Amino acid sequence: MALADFFAQITDPRRRQGQRYPLQGLLWLIFLAAASGYVSYRKISAFGRSNAAFFSDYFALAHGLP
């Protein structure tokens, strides 16, 4: 099973009100950051900011990065 398929099967536990960002996009951001050695919240945030254009375009994040 591909990782994208696995992420797609995960049920989003957040309330509808809290689903401003797609769960798949968040999971990919966290996975790619961790795979690149960014393992703290601050470092994951820095990784996301440094790759904001990619994540915003690829996952159609209308509200920018979380």
Side-chain angles (χ1 to χ4, degrees):
M1 174 184 288
L3 192 55
D5 296 333
F6 178 73
F7 284 165
Q9 290 180 357
I10 296 174
T11 304
D12 195 339
R14 301 173 294 173
R15 293 180 297 161
R16 178 79 176 133
Q17 179 182 359
Q19 294 181 3
R20 186 173 188 176
Y21 304 100
L23 182 62
Q24 244 185 326
L26 293 173
L27 293 172
W28 274 112
L29 180 124
I30 293 166
F31 172 77
L32 292 172
S36 299
Y38 298 88
V39 293
S40 72
Y41 290 113
R42 287 185 179 173
K43 289 186 178 187
I44 290 170
S45 177
F47 176 83
R49 283 192 309 272
S50 67
N51 295 289
F54 168 76
F55 287 109
S56 292
D57 291 343
Y58 193 80
F59 294 107
L61 301 175
H63 304 288
L65 288 177

